[in-house]
């Protein structure tokens, strides 16, 4: 390597060029969709902190106990790893292995379904103590978690749809886009859960 | 307003650890900085003696390194530390030096290559092996993904450490405090390296602007939360430890979180964007702005000349410049 | 005309290619295709017409309000009616007129300006239009029903909660805006992807027309700002319908949360409205100065800077709500700083005029009108950035005057300039210059007559949003003037409508490039063919239509990879540099977007009227339609290879 | 031209340009500074525009290839930056001045916003009045603001910029009138159906007069003097009025509507809806909904014969 090469590499024009392989319109579409959905969640969690700081102590108010961490941690252990089978499925479609797609998606479906079931259990517990109308904390808790649960449900619909489409041969190594779109969305739903875990369950203790 | 949490912290000002741990953590900071200086200096010396002064690692990068080290020193042991002890707002000022001065300056130093050169041979080899492995090349090929990760890390570190409990923990234990500050510097350096770092870590101008602005919004949200909170968010002893209005201290601190970051990002984003646009103009000219029937000046004519865009990307393949 | 010279050389794609293009792109003139069209030009025109109709409704509301306010203690409107009318006026002007109108321009123009054959997601585009139409009807239908929103366009809680405003009024507002948000968001995604991926080869980002930059920056702002409004509205709906406690201070909620969220959306929204309009100015003005715009990088930079800074100034709408004094200093500074990028743009336009050769035509007249009024709105805007002054004059008629100068001056004038400028391209007809000039002078004089006196009545202490006022406070003459002005504006705007109809009926056929424009839309026929460009041009500069190389590239220089006559195809290029990447397939007409929008309408109607089973059925319809819509088509490997 | 117009037509207006309070005077100064800056900036832009329209319009003009970028940057960003910086500095100074009066206030007024009237009490004083605030002239007065329902905004243009009343919070502002007089104020935050009729009046009077008035406010209401007034009082106490209104020293202790103990002395009925005289008062009692639609007072089934007595009684409460 010559000094000239290095100079080329280090000059500011290095900021100009881009990768030769461009992204597809579908990639951009789903990323922008995720960006705007992410903003909804950011605003929602931001509202949580705003209301908490404006409310002052104690938080949770009205003698509501600190959120129990055990079940949410189990839920996290179920939901977050569910990104792996999706990623595996995505890797499979690039090599044209349709069975891998189907197996990965099925695993995700099971994990996502379990998550929703656990969320139902948690609601069953919590509803005895407070409901969505009890006070602002109850409203925040149920609205945030339900909103995320709805996203998980949508994600599961997408996975089901993809399973059906994959069965009919709608996806292939040459058309991996649907799998990728679903995968990105599912990763997003997972990542949001981590933020929710931090905000709703951990932050009252911090 | 009573103490926010359990009130066990008492009313007295926090001492940021007892003098012994204080001394230890100071020693730790100085040692780490000295090691960094030695490594960076040796790597740069080697490069410059082989290729000539100012080659590979430009002079301004070395200056950036010096600035970064100085900023860390000032913030963690010098006057920054004194401010931090005096008030919460001062402490936020200290954090801002780390986040907005030290981080970007160290990112501009592009310390990866010099430090790798200075590292023992075995470490170097292992590093090189990792870089060429699947995982390593995946990371290397995706500066964009790295940038997003850096942004997320930056926001997480900022929010995480400034929640009341972790903040108090850091304030009480010198080592945790050192870890807090180290994480700020690392997160900020990672974030700003997408803009100022070695070429291979940079992302395109518009993408850098997006990442920076998104991170800025997250930081601003924290600043806003502190500034707009109606009462003290932190337990007693942290806000206005030496008397004064705790709320005013907290509000000032919120603004100190808010403004420097915003200004830094705005200036940086403006410069990057304009520079990117100017670079694009050089590579692919916009050309004359006159209609063809205009009486003035020659208008580009003739068959479609080769536009630079039809050539292969001007940039060497990624990784070529990394030995 | 550059395009005609190219045609004269007779080296466009051959007759078979042209026939193939027509076969793949043309839409049969049937009712079926009318409901199923995905052609961005038709959708864009529909956006424009629909938004214009809503503009008419909102304008009629304004005239009714001005009539009521012509004199003190008038009894033409009851307070109940007045409050609904002013709320609908504001809400409709912001949400149902400005943004959709400018999105309509974007829809029609962005693919034409960047040399694409359609938007990136044509079916999503159709869906966005239908949702906009239904959401607009959803909201306007509440007026004859007597259930129109009545909480003001910013609907502050707790006035708008269930206790203080029972009835459907605010449910129409929250649900209507949520419904509409779906359209705006999908439009924004579509614009960004279109502008990033479908540009003609060679159109690197520094060769993109300013209008496209403006639309893209606006779309980014929409994607970040609109979710916040949607969240706000969703929380209010939950509070009203399901008794959550977000805005209820007695249960730990906070009424200022509404204002924060609203203005985090609301201030960027001002720029969401104004920025594409400024983009129109940057498209129209240089053409009539016979010169490319001065300081293109500065203008692009100022667009980006505004998009960023506008998210840091929301509190200047809340200067009187008692936030910490320190934070006012910050927001005041940010609000002052944001005027600088606008200043850059204004002086770039002035400089263009000063070094160019001006041709005063009707669109240019409106641009001049814009410059005059927008500067007035700008200087009063700076006043509001200073907290002390804001605390005195906010919520008075002074602020009404200010934002009408900004929004009428900054959005309506450019929109009218755009209407006259692109009318020949959209309809293939020239308009009557005489009617146009009359319309301009009426609108310009009337606008100033309406809104300038409001500065005075505001300074004299007249608060806004009052349905009447007592006489003898010195407010009467200014209100009378404003009312007279409102009628003059109405007459002017009617004349614009007459001009458009006249052009459609009697107008002379328009040439392809009546103004000698510089951007790619002027290289197509008027109106453009369904496929827009027989050959996707090869761009070499910011002014492709003034650049012989680009003209050449669609004539003798046309290459097979840019003709793409086999199938409904357009080109994908790289995001920044505009490098040739690959052709992509475009979808055909379909009525699924309409069906999905109908499903959404059912969802929102069901929610509004608490017929939850209708909402559930609507949701099922939406899901089913989407599943079918996105169902991957079966293809042979070869076909898949072409598209992949 | 504008100056002349403003001067000529502002008689009787609650004009921000005719300040009588320390706070409003500050802002008036700021306004004139901003006004002249705006005039200069506007004139500059218009001059350039006119120049271009006049001299760059001839068909023989040569189109310049020069890009006057520097001009754009200097005129569009540099000059505005300097101007804005100066204006910002002045603005900050005035904001700081508005924060609190130079001397601590001796009088505290508690103002509560209702849909659609102002309840006014004085700290340490038992009585209450509505839609009028009396203050001693020349002294700073603390105003504590709260609302029982929706957001309102407390604004007396000639005295002080606005302060919003926020549900769930207590806000504070201050007033200092420089000269005696009556200053109109009005709710400036849209608060529903009758936002237009939620005015108030601040009366600044010499300290002695103020003290006397305050003492009267604290004392029981005037007792009826004439037969008509006595009959009116009886009608008042036996009617539905007492459910909502208070008249101190009588059995009327309702708290829904305004305290009527000093009704006769007030400047208006219905928070600025109509003037306070016998005719309007009668109309108001019989059916206030025709005067101020939507207000909380239902039409009263008062005997046509008893009405004049009732009016006489209420007018006597001063």
């Amino acid at each position: 390597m010559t000094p000239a090469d290095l100079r080329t590499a280090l000059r500011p024009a290095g900021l100009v060029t881009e990768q030769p392989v461009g992204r597809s319109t579908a990639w951009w579409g789903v990323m922008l969709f995720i960006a705007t959905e992410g903003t909804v969640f950011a605003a929602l969690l931001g509202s949580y902190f705003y209301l908490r700081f404006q409310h002052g102590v104690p938080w949770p108010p009205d003698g509501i106990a600190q959120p129990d961490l055990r079940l949410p941690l189990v839920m996290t252990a179920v939901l977050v790893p569910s990104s792996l089978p999706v990623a595996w499925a995505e890797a499979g479609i690039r090599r044209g292995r349709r069975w891998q797609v189907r197996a990965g998606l099925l695993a995700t479906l099971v994990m996502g379904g379990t998550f929703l079931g656990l969320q139902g259990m948690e609601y069953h517990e919590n509803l005895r103590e407070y409901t969505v109308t009890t006070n602002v904390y109850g409203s925040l808790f149920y609205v945030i978690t339900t909103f995320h649960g709805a996203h998980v449900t949508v994600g599961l619909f997408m996975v089901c749809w993809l399973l059906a489409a994959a069965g009919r041969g709608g996806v292939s190594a040459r058309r991996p886009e649907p799998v990728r779109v679903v995968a990105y969305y599912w990763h997003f739903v997972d990542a949001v859960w981590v933020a929710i875990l931090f905000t709703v369950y951990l932050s009252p203790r911090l | 307003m009573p103490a926010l949490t359990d009130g066990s912290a008492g009313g007295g000002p926090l001492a940021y650890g007892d003098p012994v741990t204080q001394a230890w953590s100071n020693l730790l900071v100085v040692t780490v900085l000295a090691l960094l200086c030695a490594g960076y200096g040796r790597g740069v010396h080697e490069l410059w003696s082989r290729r000539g002064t100012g080659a590979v690692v430009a002079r301004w990068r070395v200056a950036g390194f010096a600035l970064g080290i100085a900023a860390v020193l000032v913030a963690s042991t010098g006057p920054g530390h004194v401010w931090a002890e005096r008030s919460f707002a001062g402490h936020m000022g200290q954090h801002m030096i780390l986040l907005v001065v030290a981080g970007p300056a160290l990112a501009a130093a592009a310390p990866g290559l010099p430090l790798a050169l200075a590292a023992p041979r075995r470490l170097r080899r292992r590093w090189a092996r990792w870089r060429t492995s699947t995982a390593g090349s995946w990371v290397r090929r995706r500066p964009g993904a790295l940038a997003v990760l850096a942004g997320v890390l930056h926001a997480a570190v900022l929010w995480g450490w400034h929640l009341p409990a972790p903040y108090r923990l850091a304030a009480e234990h010198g080592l945790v405090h050192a870890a807090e500050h180290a994480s700020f510097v690392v997160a900020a350096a990672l974030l700003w390296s997408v803009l100022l770092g070695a070429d291979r870590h940079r992302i395109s101008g518009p993408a850098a602007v997006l990442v920076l602005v998104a991170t800025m919004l997250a930081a601003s949200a924290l600043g806003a939360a502190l500034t707009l909170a109606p009462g003290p968010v932190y337990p007693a002893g942290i806000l206005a430890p030496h008397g004064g209005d705790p709320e005013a201290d907290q509000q000032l601190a919120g603004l100190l979180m808010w403004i420097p970051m915003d200004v830094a990002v705005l200036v940086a984003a403006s410069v990057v964007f304009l520079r990117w646009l100017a670079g694009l103009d050089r590579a692919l000219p916009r050309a004359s702005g006159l209609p063809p029937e205009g009486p003035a000046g020659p208008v580009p004519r003739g068959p479609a000349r080769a536009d630079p865009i039809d050539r292969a990307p001007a940039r060497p393949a990624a990784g070529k410049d990394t030995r | 005309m550059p395009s005609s010279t190219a045609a004269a050389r007779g080296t466009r794609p051959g007759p078979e290619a042209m026939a193939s293009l027509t076969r793949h792109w043309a839409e049969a003139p049937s009712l079926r295709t009318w409901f199923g069209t995905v052609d961005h030009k038709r959708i864009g025109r529909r956006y424009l017409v629909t938004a214009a109709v809503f503009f008419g409704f909102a304008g009629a509301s304004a005239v009714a309000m001005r009539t009521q306010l012509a004199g003190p203690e008038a009894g033409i409107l009851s307070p109940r009616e007045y409050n609904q009318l002013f709320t609908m006026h504001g809400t409709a002007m912001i949400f149902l007129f400005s943004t959709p109108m400018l999105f309509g321009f974007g829809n029609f123009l962005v693919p034409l300006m960047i040399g694409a054959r359609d938007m990136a997601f044509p079916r999503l585009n159709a869906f966005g239009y239908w949702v906009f139409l239904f959401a607009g009807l959803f909201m306007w239908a509440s007026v004859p029903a007597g259930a129109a929103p009545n909480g003001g366009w910013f609907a502050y809680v707790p006035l708008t909660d269930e206790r203080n405003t029972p009835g459907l009024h605010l449910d129409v507002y929250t649900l209507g805006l949520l419904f509409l948000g779906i359209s705006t968001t999908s439009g924004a995604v579509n614009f960004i992807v279109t502008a990033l991926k479908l540009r003609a080869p060679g159109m690197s980002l520094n060769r993109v027309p300013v209008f496209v930059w403006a639309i893209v920056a606006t779309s980014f702002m929409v994607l970040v700002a609109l979710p916040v409004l949607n969240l706000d509205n969703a929380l209010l709906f939950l509070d009203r319908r399901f008794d959550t406690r977000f805005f209820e201070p007695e249960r730990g909620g906070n009424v200022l949360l509404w204002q924060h969220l609203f203005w985090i959306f609301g201030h960027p929204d001002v720029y969401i409205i104004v920025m594409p309009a400024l983009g129109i100015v940057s498209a129209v003005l240089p053409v009539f100065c016979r010169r490319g715009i001065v300081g293109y990088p500065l203008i692009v930079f100022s667009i980006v800077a505004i998009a960023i800074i506008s998210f840091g100034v929301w509190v200047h709408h809340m200067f009187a709500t008692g936030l910490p004094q320190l934070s006012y200093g910050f927001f005041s500074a940010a609000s002052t700083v944001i005027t600088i990028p606008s200043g850059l743009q204004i002086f770039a336009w002035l400089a263009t005029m000063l070094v160019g050769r001006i041709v005063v035509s009707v669109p240019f007249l409106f641009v001049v009108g814009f410059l005059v009024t927008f500067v007035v709105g700008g200087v009063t805007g700076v006043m509001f950035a200073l907290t002390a002054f804001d605390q005195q004059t906010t919520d008075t008629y002074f602020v009404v005057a200010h934002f009408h100068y900004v929004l009428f001056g900054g959005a309506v004038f450019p929109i009218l300039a755009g209407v006259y400028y692109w009318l020949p391209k959209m309809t293939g007809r020239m308009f009557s210059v005489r009617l146009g000039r009359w319309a301009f002078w009426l609108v310009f004089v009337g606008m100033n007559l309406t809104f300038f006196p409001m500065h005075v009545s505001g300074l004299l202490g007249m608060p806004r949003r009052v349905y009447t006022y007592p006489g003898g406070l010195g407010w009467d003459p200014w209100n009378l003037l404003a009312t007279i002005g409102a009628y003059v504006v109405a007459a002017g705007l009617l004349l614009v409508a007459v001009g458009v109809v006249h052009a459609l009926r009697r107008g002379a056929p328009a040439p392809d490039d009546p103004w000698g424009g510089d951007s790619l839309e002027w290289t197509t026929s008027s109106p453009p063919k369904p496929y827009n460009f027989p050959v996707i041009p090869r761009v070499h500069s910011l002014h492709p239509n003034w650049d012989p190389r680009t003209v050449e590239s669609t004539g003798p220089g046309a290459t097979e990879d840019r003709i793409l006559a086999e199938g409904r195809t357009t080109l994908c290029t790289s995001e920044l540099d505009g490098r040739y990447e690959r052709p992509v397939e475009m979808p055909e007409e379909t009525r699924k977007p309409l069906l999905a929008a109908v499903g959404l309408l059912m969802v929102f109607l069901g929610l509004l009227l608490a017929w939850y089973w209708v909402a559930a059925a609507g949701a099922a319809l939406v899901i089913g339609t989407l599943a079918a819509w996105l169902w991957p088509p079966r293809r042979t490997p070869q076909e898949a290879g072409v598209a992949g | 031209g504008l100056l002349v117009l403003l001067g000529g037509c502002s008689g009787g207006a609650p004009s921000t340009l005719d300040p009588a309070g320390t706070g409003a005077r500050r802002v008036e100064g700021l306004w004139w500074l901003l006004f002249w800056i705006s005039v200069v900036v506007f004139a500059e832009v218009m001059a350039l525009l006119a120049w271009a329209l006049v001299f760059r319009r001839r068909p023989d003009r040569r189109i310049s290839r020069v890009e006057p970028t520097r001009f754009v940057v200097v005129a569009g960003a540099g000059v505005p930056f300097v101007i804005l910086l100066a204006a910002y500095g002045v603005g900050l100074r005035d904001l700081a001045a508005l924060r609190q009066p130079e001397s601590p206030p001796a009088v505290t007024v508690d103002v509560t916003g209702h849909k659609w009237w102002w309840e006014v009490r004085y700290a340490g004083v038992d009585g209450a009045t509505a839609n009028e605030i009396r203050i001693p002239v020349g002294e700073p007065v603390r105003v504590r603001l709260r609302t029982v329902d929706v957001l309102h905004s407390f604004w007396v243009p000639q005295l002080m910029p606005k302060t919003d009343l926020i549900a769930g919070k207590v806000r504070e502002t201050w007033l200092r009138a420089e000269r005696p007089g009556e200053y109109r104020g009005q709710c400036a935050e849209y608060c529903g159906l009758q936002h237009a009729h939620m005015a108030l009046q601040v009366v600044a009077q010499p300290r002695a007069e103020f003290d006397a008035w305050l003492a009267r406010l604290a004392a029981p209401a005037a007792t009826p003097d004439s037969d008509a007034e006595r009959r009116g009082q009886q009608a008042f106490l036996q009617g539905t009025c007492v459910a909502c209104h208070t008249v101190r020293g009588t059995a009327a202790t309702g708290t829904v509507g305004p305290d009527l103990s000093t009704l006769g002395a007030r400047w208006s009925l219905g928070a600025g809806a109509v003037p306070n005289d016998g005719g309007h008062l009668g109309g108001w009692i019989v059916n206030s909904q025709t005067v101020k639609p939507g207000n909380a007072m239902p039409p009263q089934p008062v005997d046509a014969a008893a009405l004049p007595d009732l009016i006489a009684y209420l007018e006597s409460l001063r």
Side-chain angles (χ1 to χ4, degrees), chain A residues 15-30 32-33 35-37 39-40 43-47 50-51 54-55 59 62 132-137 139-140 143 157 161 164-172 174-175 178, chain C residues 120-121 185 188-189 192-193 196-198 220 222-225 227-228 231 235 238 242-246 251-254 256-257 260-261 572 574-579 581-582 623 626-628 630-635 637 640-641 643-644:
Chain A
L15 288 168
V16 171
T17 48
E18 57 187 330
Q19 308 226 321
V21 193
R23 306 285 189 180
S24 69
T25 51
W27 185 90
W28 278 101
V30 72
L32 292 171
F33 180 66
T36 186
E37 284 263 74
T39 315
V40 180
L44 188 56
L45 299 183
S47 302
Y50 179 80
L51 288 170
Q54 294 283 318
H55 183 274
W59 187 260
D62 301 343
V132 73
T133 61
T134 305
N135 54 25
V136 70
Y137 177 79
S139 302
L140 279 170
V143 168
F157 269 120
W161 174 89
R168 275 180 76 255
V171 294
S172 64
R174 284 186 183 279
R175 290 181 53 83
Chain C
F121 307 112
T185 306
V189 169
I192 296 175
V193 180
L196 283 181
K197 289 307 297 182
L198 300 193
F220 270 106
V222 165
L223 290 188
V224 182
V228 184
L231 174 72
L235 297 184
L238 289 173
F242 299 107
D243 291 333
T244 56
R245 311 293 184 186
F246 294 105
R251 301 291 191 102
N254 193 297
L256 287 184
L257 175 64
H260 281 298
L261 291 178
C572 239
S574 70
E575 290 87 353
L576 305 180
D577 295 357
R579 284 171 209 280
E581 275 178 1
R582 57 180 174 268
I623 292 171
L626 286 181
L630 298 170
W631 199 252
R634 245 182 215 291
R635 297 158 184 254

Side-chain angles (χ1 to χ4, degrees), chain D residues 88-129:
Chain D
Y88 175 67
V90 178
L92 269 195
R93 193 199 64 188
D94 289 341
L95 179 65
L98 289 182
R99 193 171 180 186
Q100 52 198 22
E102 307 90 19
S103 56
V107 180
T108 300
V109 193
D110 281 299
V111 176
T112 308
H114 293 258
K115 281 193 303 191
W116 294 276
W117 57 284
W118 306 90
E119 180 186 342
V120 178
R121 291 173 181 277
Y122 286 78
V125 175
D126 201 24
T129 179

Side-chain angles (χ1 to χ4, degrees), chain C residues 493-507:
Chain C
L493 290 171
L494 271 181
L495 217 50
V496 173
V498 168
V500 171
V501 174
H502 179 266
L504 281 172
R505 290 276 164 84
R506 304 262 170 84

Side-chain angles (χ1 to χ4, degrees), chain D residues 275-315:
Chain D
N276 186 5
D277 55 41
H280 283 107
L281 184 55
W284 180 272
I285 295 171
V286 174
N287 189 356
S288 64
Q289 298 300 326
T290 57
V291 184
K292 186 172 173 181
N295 84 82
M297 181 162 157
Q300 298 300 311
V302 183
D303 229 358
L307 191 58
D309 299 338
L310 192 53
I311 293 171
Y313 170 63
L314 290 174
E315 291 278 285

Side-chain angles (χ1 to χ4, degrees), chain A residues 3 9 18 36 41 70 73 85 93 96 104 121 130 132 143 148 150 173 178 204:
Chain A
E18 57 187 330
T36 186
F41 276 105
R70 276 166 300 181
L73 286 178
I93 194 66
M121 275 171 66
Y130 56 95
V132 73
V143 168
H148 177 259

